[in-house]
Amino acid sequence: MTTPTSRTVSRSARRRLLAAAPALGLAAAAAAPNAWAQGRKRVTRIIVPFAPGGGNDVFARQLAFSLNAMTQKDVIVENKPGAGGNLGTELVVRAAADSNTFLLGHTGTIAINPALYKNLSFNASTDLQPVAMFASSALLLVVPAASPVKSVAQLADALKAKNADLTYASSGAGTGGHLTAEMFLHALGARAVHAPYKGTAPALADVAGGQVDFSFSVIPAAMALVKAGKLRALAVTSAKRLALLPDVPTVAESGVSALAGFESTLTYGILAPKGVPQADVAQLGAEILKAASTPEFQSKLGIEGAEPLLGGAADYARKVQEESRKWSEVVKFSGASV
């Protein structure tokens, strides 16, 4: 049987426990800061303006993985394909400054599209702020394995001799492959017939089959056919030979005077909405450069035919403006338009 005194003590103890509960809860939270932080942590989104599976997607996912491991942040990748990369790019242009939304940008979406698409309501080269750049990739000039053309110089001679009888394939109008070919032809003062395809695979299939004479292609897809003996690699479009293909010369090494200094590469980096504070841009930029410097990240670049190109916000901003001037001129003289 419970006495009045024991009931009084029990009720008093319960009141003290209830009064202490909030403090106990705060103490528990302080004792487990990681769990509290996990519950309150904001998600950082990297928007890839293309479908999953391509180089842009691979780079973004490796970057997100590295940032998550290094910083304990919650970084995710979202694919927003459409309109040549413009849909996903515009999403970031219109994003609020505090939305933690960033863009995986590359030369095509940032420097080429503003000149190529005549009715865009935004300009990615000026409506976004660069955070950091981390990679560049070149293209590979290929011909059918059975082609008599065995060098860039021989291709240049054939183009001049046949006067627009040769054809070149690309993965679509306005793509890097298309505009690189136009820059190549412009430098030579030659012409060729453009055969645009809906993607890299069908374009290369017809080059390998001999229906098309040459193509400037993304490296991984082209190298698979080179190794299979179906295509011949003539040159890479970078300023220097690639570690991945040390025996393949650059276009500029061809000995053709008109092609001295020829270069066509795509730059990859992260960009932010205009309103994001400079301190946040600087912090994220430093984290990106640290992640992109790791051997694990750089090995992923190599698999995709890319090489490291590390630079902070100011470096990337200069690169964007340089590429915008270059490619707007190529779009202009080629007559390309979407």
Side-chain angles (χ1 to χ4, degrees), residues 78-306:
E78 292 185 10
N79 298 87
K80 301 290 184 181
N86 289 323
L87 292 183
T89 301
E90 185 173 15
L91 186 153
V92 181
V93 168
R94 309 296 183 206
D98 62 353
S99 65
N100 251 23
T101 301
F102 301 89
L103 179 72
L104 190 287
H106 84 307
T107 303
T109 51
I110 305 305
I112 295 176
N113 282 3
L116 186 68
Y117 288 80
K118 305 307 181 188
N119 297 314
L120 285 182
S121 60
F122 65 95
N123 186 328
S125 69
T126 56
D127 293 343
L128 292 167
Q129 57 174 326
V131 177
M133 60 183 180
F134 57 81
S136 71
S137 65
L139 298 175
L140 188 64
L141 172 56
V142 293
V143 297
S147 171
V149 173
K150 293 182 170 58
S151 69
V152 173
Q154 289 182 2
L155 178 59
D157 289 342
L159 284 163
K160 293 176 182 178
K162 297 201 174 184
N163 191 28
D165 282 344
L166 297 187
T167 56
Y168 71 92
S170 79
S171 58
T175 60
H178 171 211
L179 295 178
T180 297
E182 288 295 326
M183 186 166 64
F184 179 80
L185 293 167
H186 185 76
L188 293 172
R191 293 186 298 156
V193 176
H194 179 210
Y197 289 77
K198 292 183 178 179
T200 299
L204 289 179
D206 276 5
V207 178
Q211 288 89 356
V212 185
D213 295 299
F214 67 99
S215 181
F216 287 89
S217 172
V218 292
I219 290 175
M223 277 309 300
L225 292 171
V226 170
K227 290 178 179 178
K230 296 180 179 181
L231 290 176
R232 177 181 299 127
L234 299 186
V236 292
T237 62
S238 49
K240 298 179 180 179
R241 294 195 186 195
L242 301 179
L244 179 69
L245 303 168
D247 297 326
V248 178
T250 68
V251 172
E253 290 179 298
S254 63
V256 179
S257 59
L259 298 173
F262 184 93
E263 180 184 5
S264 175
T265 55
L266 301 177
T267 302
Y268 297 84
I270 297 295
L271 300 101
K274 272 288 191 182
V276 175
Q278 290 301 304
D280 293 346
V281 168
Q283 181 182 350
L284 178 58
E287 291 169 350
I288 289 169
L289 294 179
K290 185 176 179 181
S293 299
T294 63
E296 295 81 8
F297 188 87
Q298 294 189 3
S299 70
K300 286 289 185 182
L301 296 181
I303 292 170
E304 293 297 319

